[in-house]
Amino acid sequence: MSKAVQKLDDYRWLLPQDYKPGMRVPGIIYADEALMEAIMKDLSLEQVANGAFLPGIVKASFAMPDIHQGYGLPVGGVVATNVTDGVVSPGAVGYDINCGVRLLRTELTKEEVRPRLKELVSALFHEIPTGVGSRGRIRLGRKEMETPLLTGAAWAVKQGYGEPADLACMESGGCLPDADPEAVSHKALERGSSQLGTLGSGNHFLEVQTVAEIYDPHAAGVLGLFEGQVTVMIHTGSRGLGHQVCTDYLVEMERAIVKYGIELPDRQLACTPWNSREAKAYLGAMRAAANFAWNNRQCLAHWTKEVLLKVLGISPRALGLSTVYDVAHNIVKVEEHEVDGRRMKLAVHRKGATRAFPPGHPELPAHYQAIGQPVLIPGDMGRASFVLVGTGAMEQTFGSTCHGAGRVMSRHAAIRAAKGRVIHRELEDQGIIVKASGWESLAEEMPEAYKDVTQVVTVVHRAGLSKMVARLRPMGVIKG
DNA sequence: ATGTTC
């Protein structure tokens, strides 16, 4: 019976190490009974087990309650490898390097914005490039790409997009050090050259929201959030540039596993020893792509502010827009963690998982030291999104929590299920104005295609990975 | 996620 998944408590499940011969550590899944049922329907658990084969993995292959099947590792997976004898795996980061979420606060209430909402959503949709292959107003030559890739969002701020204060409100200050633009292929640079300040497609969105409920008044106060307030959430990543970096290095990793004799149950997890030439190159390129994504969200936030000012016809002071935080949920980072009582330097791969460091952690900005790292959880466009803060994830999951709702329907299944329905009308009946590039992109993303995000965050809250601060309700959404 | 099967 040990070969089956075992329930540890109300929110934790164990995938024993003998679930699949060759696992170096067990798997741990965070979920309640209902979410576990959904998780067992695809190959997620198999992929959690496969992650446990990665050389140098420590503690366990972790999965968050929003996991679903992905490329190699499930989306919602966390694996940490020892940097002395472990590996780095692009499939355990994902195609959309530094896919992430940014939350902006305003001084406005929903009553003040509601009368202009339709106009606002139309203007945002008009001004912000959305959809696959969308191009923005910034055009950079290959040489001009170097600084944004090296210096992160500080580049956008220097260009006049946003303010220096934004940088302190971003994970890692909006820049991963040791990025190497030279390790990014010409093809990747070319794809990225016109994509700064573009939203993309799929589950990426820009949403005008209102704070519907506060669970933790102290943390909400520190974050500048109050009930009835209007916020803006931006969910996007590194676009074609990051996708191309992942594609390029997966080819390289295929060669590396042969060269270094690494055996894996799934080639999609192809990886390379941490101290190899291939790892150095991938990490340099991955960090450059992460910095591109931070610039992308920085530019999008700036244009969002411009549109808000123009449509609402108010002063910047009356708008009171500022950055609450900006998180990366597809990334690999070198961090120090305690494992079996020993401090270790680890490569923490978070693929569809959010860092959630506790209060007092040295990597947090001074103004958030008391509350812990802000966690931004985008839900579906009909229900809710959440703000949480880090609590006790350090001892459990290398300081990681969930990243979203997680799909329950494939894109294809969602389109089939939505046939004959008018999704934007259904949402409008609930007071949510949606603009998307087409019927299909809305059908793929309809609320029923996702798990209930409230259920997901309840699990991470009760399991002590992070603490619920506020629930945000969608008012207006633009989608690729 | 993605110039959505170079």
Side-chain angles (χ1 to χ4, degrees), chain A residues 211-286:
Chain A
V211 178
E213 192 174 357
I214 301 271
Y215 308 98
D216 183 330
H218 174 246
V222 173
L223 295 168
L225 299 176
F226 58 88
E227 223 172 286
Q229 176 185 25
V230 169
T231 58
V232 178
M233 184 175 272
I234 298 169
H235 178 204
T236 186
S238 51
R239 309 283 289 107
L241 184 141
H243 191 276
Q244 190 63 46
V245 166
C246 184
T247 303
D248 291 340
Y249 282 94
L250 282 170
V251 176
E252 186 117 352
M253 297 302 145
E254 289 275 340
R255 286 197 292 264
I257 52 174
V258 177
K259 179 172 162 190
Y260 299 109
I262 297 168
E263 284 187 44
L264 293 165
D266 181 357
R267 284 169 59 184
Q268 293 188 349
L269 280 172
C271 56
T272 188
W274 180 262
N275 52 18
S276 64
R277 177 186 64 74
E278 292 86 345
K280 194 171 184 305
Y282 169 68
L283 288 166
M286 190 281 308

Side-chain angles (χ1 to χ4, degrees), chain A residues 7 18 38 77 106 135 163 191 213 242 244 251 256 282 291 303 330 339 341 416:
Chain A
K7 187 171 176 175
D18 59 2
T106 72
R135 309 178 78 189
E163 294 155 38
R191 289 180 68 175
E213 192 174 357
Q244 190 63 46
V251 176
Y282 169 68
N291 291 343
W303 286 316
N330 280 13
V339 181
R416 229 180 311 130

Side-chain angles (χ1 to χ4, degrees), chain A residues 86 137 189 195 211 239 324 365:
Chain A
R137 61 186 93 174
L189 291 173
Q195 292 189 319
V211 178
R239 309 283 289 107
V324 175

Side-chain angles (χ1 to χ4, degrees), chain A residues 374-458:
Chain A
V375 174
L376 309 174
I377 305 296
D380 65 75
M381 56 189 167
R383 283 176 282 194
S385 293
F386 282 87
V387 179
L388 293 88
V389 286
T391 46
M394 238 30 193
E395 299 74 32
Q396 299 193 60
T397 53
F398 311 110
S400 315
T401 189
C402 64
H403 88 304
R407 294 196 80 90
V408 274
M409 275 184 212
S410 69
R411 298 186 181 284
H412 192 73
I415 288 171
R416 229 180 311 130
K419 242 188 164 84
R421 288 169 50 183
V422 187
I423 308 293
H424 79 267
R425 182 71 60 204
E426 292 176 19
L427 290 163
E428 201 168 328
D429 289 343
Q430 299 168 55
I432 303 163
I433 307 298
V434 184
K435 275 239 174 216
S437 32
W439 178 87
E440 283 207 346
S441 61
L442 271 186
E444 287 179 358
E445 292 295 315
M446 66 176 178
E448 306 94 292
Y450 284 90
K451 298 178 192 180
D452 183 353
V453 68
T454 304
Q455 235 177 310
V456 171
V457 299
T458 301

